[in-house]
């Protein structure tokens, strides 16, 4: 490997480490495999960008939602208990009432059908790690398996 390429790779790795660790006080060291820690940091970085682009307008950048209009993601009992519904909702949207932290919300969540499985995995990894305090990698395979089952998930009104 050439010296300039090595320097670029080191700078990219340091940027990813600094950007993820400075904004997220999560303990990524719970992943003993270095590759998993790097993968989590990559998913978090891209997930943050995609969340800002597609989700933050309603759920807010800090994940606290918007009054009684849009539900919070931060410390959300719904988020923690309904991973499949959340992932299906990202792709296919959601309508009808849901209860989050004891408050009923009934706004339509528009679908994001153009997102890839990887992009949904990155968003899901970001929101679960950042807002549910469960540092975890949600993979493309996890997302694909859940999306394949969306039509059978009870009480989720989605259109494929």
């Amino acid at each position: 490997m050439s010296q300039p390429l090595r320097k670029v790779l080191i700078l990219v790795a340091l940027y990813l480490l600094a950007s993820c660790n400075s904004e997220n006080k999560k303990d990524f060291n719970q992943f003993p495999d270095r590759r998993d820690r790097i993968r989590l940091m990559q998913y978090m970085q891209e997930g943050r960008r995609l969340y800002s682009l597609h989700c933050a307008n309603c759920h807010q950048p800090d994940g606290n939602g918007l009054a009684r209009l849009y539900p919070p993601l931060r410390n959300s009992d719904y988020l923690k208990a309904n991973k499949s519904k959340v992932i299906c909702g990202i792709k296919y949207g959601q309508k009808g009432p849901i209860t989050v932290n004891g408050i009923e919300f009934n706004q339509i969540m528009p679908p994001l059908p153009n997102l890839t499985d990887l992009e949904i995995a990155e968003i899901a990894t970001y929101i679960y790690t950042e807002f549910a305090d469960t540092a975890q990698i949600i993979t493309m395979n996890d997302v694909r398996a859940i999306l394949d089952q969306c039509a059978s998930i009870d009480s989720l009104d989605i259109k494929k």
Side-chain angles (χ1 to χ4, degrees), residues 57-73:
N57 191 46
C58 296
H59 295 288
Q60 302 302 291
D62 61 6
N64 285 324
L66 187 59
R68 290 184 176 256
L69 194 57
Y70 301 112
L73 300 177

Side-chain angles (χ1 to χ4, degrees), residues 42-115:
Q42 290 170 330
Y43 272 48
M44 287 292 292
Q45 184 72 16
E46 188 60 15
R48 179 184 302 113
R49 184 188 74 76
L50 291 165
Y51 175 85
S52 294
L53 185 65
H54 298 289
C55 313
N57 191 46
C58 296
H59 295 288
Q60 302 302 291
D62 61 6
N64 285 324
L66 187 59
R68 290 184 176 256
L69 194 57
Y70 301 112
L73 300 177
R74 183 172 300 284
N75 301 318
S76 163
D77 59 354
Y78 184 88
L79 185 71
K80 292 175 184 175
N82 295 287
K83 186 186 296 184
S84 293
K85 288 183 182 182
V86 169
I87 289 172
C88 291
I90 292 170
K91 181 77 170 186
Y92 300 116
Q94 183 172 329
K95 66 180 181 178
I98 62 168
T99 302
V100 179
N101 298 339
I103 300 171
E104 186 174 287
F105 294 87
N106 196 6
Q107 289 292 323
I108 293 174
M109 182 171 140
L112 297 169
N114 294 328
L115 290 180

Side-chain angles (χ1 to χ4, degrees), residues 2 6 8 15 30-31 37 47 58-59 65 80-81 85-86 91 96 98 104 115 125 135 148 152 160:
S2 70
R6 184 176 296 140
V8 169
Y15 171 76
Q30 73 178 352
F31 292 92
R37 287 193 307 272
C58 296
H59 295 288
K80 292 175 184 175
K85 288 183 182 182
V86 169
K91 181 77 170 186
I98 62 168
E104 186 174 287
L115 290 180
T125 296
D148 286 345
S152 66
K160 286 193 175 187

